[in-house]
Amino acid sequence: MVKNGIKVERDTFEYKGKSYFEYFICGNVRGRDVKIKLAPPDNKNDKGGYTVLDIVFGNASKADFVIEPYEFTNAEGKVVSGERYLVRTTDEDGETYECAVKPTRNSDKTLLNMLLR
């Protein structure tokens, strides 16, 4: 489900002479503007997640923020449920592209939870 029209944005930044994209949600929590940074789920070990995000965005600077519930039974028989976050776009041919994301830091996770309330 697309959450209240929340958009994930991207912008470039420079690091050691190279340009990279950063991904984030801008919002307002209790009257304060916040910028919540997002990254692929395994951004420390799988740098290819950023390539997937680049493909999802294509030439756009914004994409839909989607919350998708999940539920499964683990090996011990316990039901595990929660939500995962996705970035999703649809191109001019109707093809949908998406990539899982997560808040980058603990403070981003806390801010995202506040924004989603």
Side-chain angles (χ1 to χ4, degrees), residues 68-87:
E68 186 176 86
Y70 66 84
E71 184 174 287
F72 64 92
T73 304
N74 68 12
E76 292 84 38
K78 181 180 176 186
V79 175
V80 178
S81 62
E83 297 174 327
R84 71 181 189 142
Y85 305 126
L86 302 168
V87 173

Side-chain angles (χ1 to χ4, degrees), residues 21-40:
F21 284 113
E22 66 176 346
Y23 301 88
F24 54 91
I25 295 171
C26 290
N28 190 286
V29 177
R30 297 187 82 182
R32 178 175 276 179
D33 291 332
V34 295
K35 182 177 181 179
I36 303 163
K37 292 188 179 186
L38 301 174

